[in-house]
Amino acid sequence: MPVWLDDFLWTYQNVVYALGVNGLLALSMYVVLSVGQLSLGQAAFMGLGAYSSALLTVKLHLPFAIVLPASTIAPLLFALAIGTPTLRLSGVYLAIATIGLGEVLRALYINIDFVGGALGISGIPERAGLVSIYGLLILALLGFWLVGRSAIGRAMEAMREDDVAAATMGVNVARYRLGALLTSAVLAGLAGALSAHISSFIGPNEYGFEPAVTILSYALLGGIGSPFAPVIGAWILTLLPEMLRGFADLRLVFNGVIIVLAVLYLPNGILPWAMRRRAA
Amino acid sequence: MILLQTSALTMRFAGLVAVDAVDLAVDAGSIHALIGPNGAGKTTMFNLISGLLPPTSGAISLDGADITALPAYARAGRGMARSFQNIRIFASMTVLENVLTGLHASIAPGLAAILLRLPRFRRQEIDAVSRARAALDLVGLATRAGDRAAALAYGDQRRLEIARAIAGNPRLLLLDEPAAGMNPAESSALADLIRRIRDAGTTVLLVEHDMGFVMRLADRVTVLNFGRRIADGAPADIRRDPTVITAYLGAKVAARLNAA
Ligand SMILES: Nc1ncnc2c1ncn2[C@@H]1O[C@H](COP(=O)(O)OP(=O)(O)OP(=O)(O)O)[C@@H](O)[C@H]1O
Ligand SMILES: [Mg+2]
């Protein structure tokens, strides 16, 4: 690694890592929104990934190469349990079913001593880094780009516009919705595991409603025209508070204002351009 | 040979029987019209046949197989396609993409082929685009392929819906008031198009209020009134059937016809 990059990383490491992790979280929101559903459980899925991976590392001393993929299991199971009954119904049900998930899990974390109770888990070794974070982000972007420019991408956009018409075209709407939710749980779980393994400490209060709204605001600001849009949205919302350090207390207000402005004035986000989908 | 059959098909909404024990048999290769006054239950029949509504009772079979419990997407997979009375195109997608979406049931490259861009994926996409263009050509929208669907005029949006429905060469095509809002020239072009679709091997079941259109086009006509089947037969017979005249044109007109 060149010296300047090393210096740069040393100074801005936290921000650089946060950009990558939040990019993954933005994509976990994107995939659900892109099939016309709304989930408010992204932070909860992230917390499940963070807690399960931290436990595997701290208690079982498993290598990170096993911990990272294993961190997707708990979010997957929760997504399956929530998605199966709700995704056959219309869009609002998933939002309602996920809205309380983060708060319920928070209460659980606090009350289970094995997972550290109110103190959370500390002493997590720093195992994640540039390669794992940005490698996964790039893989996820590439995957969404390739899927977006295919019959599946067309079906997803069609469902988002009119799920009834899409179904009469042969689109198995419930299956796509579940697939999107599971993908989103995997990405959020990975983001949680990565963030747990860069910060050495995780606590029960980090994955409640507030971060869920922040993750939603990434995608609302960036838009969902292409997978790059929500990532750019996440980067803006990650960098702005860094530059406006003095206003840290106003962070939630700031996110709230962005959501309101984005919904009112930028219904397609700041990057509204859709992917061009032309056959080879 | 009967392609589509409904037996005692019934749909009860709260306090209203929209479709009441309807038996319908559509012959393969025919153009079959389903007519009736407003609120007779025609669109509800279409929703039952295409799987958007679960019937209260009764059965639906396609080509001899019971499909009553199949979800809508699976019926599309078995060769059923439809248009909607109130147009339901994908407004923000291009005209070509709309039609490509209509080919969804016949494109199944699989996730691995998509992610790895296997030859199978490319072949299917190229094939799909040429089929979609052929469908657009057939309805006369070939030059609009790259436009956003929302930018099309009303009549063109109706044609786009038909192109989207026929792109996958369905066995059964359901058209809900395809001529609505069209002028005589447009609707006669539409009648030609429907004949061509039938001649290419697709059985057509259509709902239409324009009697001239129905009588010229249909091989067979089924008449609904208040959810019940009140007549079924060749267009010439239906036209003379007094129950149909009474129901369809109203008792006043029937009296006037009798007096004449
Ligand atoms: N989802 C529903 N819930 C309750 N009632 C319904 C529903 N769909 C249709 N109906 C009622 O069922 C009856 C039949 O409606 P339908 O739309 O099938 O009639 P139609 O023959 O297509 O009429 P039109 O010629 O006006 O299109 C009407 O009285 C309508 O109000
Ligand atoms: Mg109708």
Side-chain angles (χ1 to χ4, degrees), chain A residues 48-126:
Chain A
L48 287 165
Y51 264 88
S52 60
S53 68
L55 290 172
L56 290 174
T57 299
V58 171
K59 307 245 178 201
L60 297 182
H61 309 290
L62 291 178
F64 196 52
I66 293 176
V67 168
L68 191 58
S71 71
T72 63
I73 295 172
L76 268 177
L77 292 177
F78 273 78
L80 207 55
I82 291 175
T84 310
T86 50
L87 290 174
R88 288 179 192 286
L89 309 170
S90 75
V92 292
Y93 287 89
L94 182 65
I96 293 169
T98 49
I99 199 166
L101 183 62
E103 298 302 319
V104 169
L105 288 174
R106 190 230 306 255
L108 274 181
Y109 299 145
I110 289 178
N111 287 299
I112 299 175
D113 288 339
F114 181 72
V115 303
L119 294 175
I121 302 173
S122 48
I124 308 165
E126 190 182 317

Side-chain angles (χ1 to χ4, degrees), chain A residues 143 145-147 149-152 154-155 157-158 161-162 164-173 176 277 279-280, chain B residues 52 72-73 76 82 84 88 90-93 97 100-102 104-105 107 111 114-115 117 121-122 125-126 129 164:
Chain A
W145 178 253
L146 291 170
V147 169
R149 292 165 60 94
S150 77
I152 295 181
R154 278 194 297 269
E157 189 171 345
E161 282 209 28
D162 186 337
V164 170
T168 64
M169 314 280 109
V171 177
N172 187 342
V173 172
Y176 277 86
R277 214 181 289 105
Chain B
L52 297 181
Y73 78 88
R82 70 169 289 179
F84 294 89
R88 300 184 87 144
F90 305 119
S92 75
M93 295 167 79
E97 281 182 338
L100 285 169
T101 305
H104 188 82
I107 309 178
L111 201 54
I114 286 172
L115 289 175
R117 287 299 192 257
F121 166 81
R122 293 184 187 283
E125 279 293 297
I126 291 167
V129 170
R164 184 178 69 176

Side-chain angles (χ1 to χ4, degrees), chain B residues 178-179 187-188 190-191 194 206 208 210-218:
Chain B
S187 81
S188 108
L190 177 69
I194 292 172
L206 66 92
E208 191 46 67
D210 177 347
M211 272 315 107
F213 186 89
V214 167
M215 294 303 162
R216 279 194 301 275
L217 194 61

